[in-house]
Amino acid sequence: MTDTVMDDAAGPGGLTVGAAASHVGVTVRTLHHWDRIGLVRPSGRTSAGYRLYSAADIARIHRVLIYRELGLSLEDIGALLDAPTADMTVPLRQQRAQLLDRISRLQVMVEAVDRMIEAARAGILLSAEEQVEIFGQRWQPSLVAGARERWGHTAQWAQYAERAAGMAAEDWQRTADTITTLEHDLAAAKRAGVRPGSAAANALAERHRASMDAYFTCTLSMQVCLGRNYAADPGFTAYYDAVEPGLTIWLRDIIDANARDRGIDPESATWT
């Protein structure tokens, strides 16, 4: 007969190990282990050798469970339970300090998750006024909502939201400065008659794709889809054509030509 089976037998003067385990919500194996290491030893035994746990033993088990919930090791719990009353507060104060530190770190994590949730919902953690101040008077905050509606279900939007959550106003300003320089160069190239498919046009198309990489990993196929969306969306068309008349279509064309030169058929490109 095994030790577990023996200890499940009923006995006077206390709870058997099976009854004690059921009462406090732990396993019989756990109580056996705590007995072996001297953490919680049953006060009594029956004449047949079965473990019997008194009310004081059960109270000690409950204290062990409380300290375990606080994150203390079994070794520290044993020392705490057997320490003089005056010494009990020392490990508890240490554990309290550790818990406060953990709470602080968890709060930082919660705030980061909240920012990601808000970035995924709003698309950008800037007010409409801040967006216009950073991106200029031509910027339309509604473009962000439109992009979320079109791409919000994609992995790339999730990637963008994660990055946007960590961006402060000064980060957006640097991004805006980069985009402004790119738009100026795009407009200058169009006015100069740079042909789609030329080395200069392809270099500009790659710069445009690199600007998208600041938000999410942008493949050539994805860039083609973006170019088509620019040309089809009145908001984006108005934005780019305000930089230079006809820039939207020209940008779409240089993106298509660059993708074609790199082995991507623009007519069959998908968001992959």
Side-chain angles (χ1 to χ4, degrees), residues 86-140:
D87 296 335
M88 287 182 59
T89 61
V90 175
L92 287 177
R93 289 182 185 278
Q94 294 173 343
Q95 189 62 22
R96 182 179 185 276
Q98 294 176 16
L99 288 171
L100 288 175
D101 180 64
R102 187 185 307 172
I103 290 170
S104 178
R105 286 185 281 109
L106 288 173
Q107 185 60 43
V108 171
M109 294 173 63
V110 168
E111 291 172 0
V113 170
D114 285 344
R115 284 179 62 83
M116 289 179 61
I117 292 172
E118 180 60 19
R121 184 196 67 79
I124 186 171
L125 298 181
L126 296 172
S127 67
E129 292 76 12
E130 289 172 325
Q131 292 178 48
V132 172
E133 180 181 351
I134 291 174
F135 296 111
Q137 292 298 319
R138 292 184 296 104
W139 178 254
Q140 302 173 41

Side-chain angles (χ1 to χ4, degrees), residues 126-247:
L126 296 172
S127 67
E129 292 76 12
E130 289 172 325
Q131 292 178 48
V132 172
E133 180 181 351
I134 291 174
F135 296 111
Q137 292 298 319
R138 292 184 296 104
W139 178 254
Q140 302 173 41
S142 61
L143 293 175
V144 179
R148 183 185 68 247
E149 183 177 349
R150 184 175 180 85
W151 311 108
H153 65 286
T154 66
Q156 288 70 37
W157 184 266
Q159 188 179 25
Y160 159 75
E162 182 176 355
R163 295 179 182 180
M167 294 177 68
E170 54 268 24
D171 299 314
W172 285 111
Q173 185 63 65
R174 283 192 293 270
T175 299
D177 292 343
T178 299
I179 293 174
T180 297
T181 300
L182 173 60
E183 290 173 350
H184 177 272
D185 293 346
L186 288 168
K190 180 185 179 300
R191 284 195 301 270
V194 173
R195 293 181 297 101
S198 65
N202 286 349
L204 286 169
E206 283 300 296
R207 281 178 59 189
H208 173 270
R209 188 158 68 96
S211 73
M212 294 297 102
D213 276 336
Y215 307 115
F216 60 89
T217 302
C218 184
T219 65
L220 287 164
S221 291
M222 290 176 186
Q223 187 187 23
V224 168
C225 292
L226 288 174
R228 299 298 173 87
N229 185 59
Y230 295 159
D233 187 293
F236 277 110
T237 298
Y239 174 81
Y240 282 110
D241 283 5
V243 178
E244 172 70 18
L247 183 60

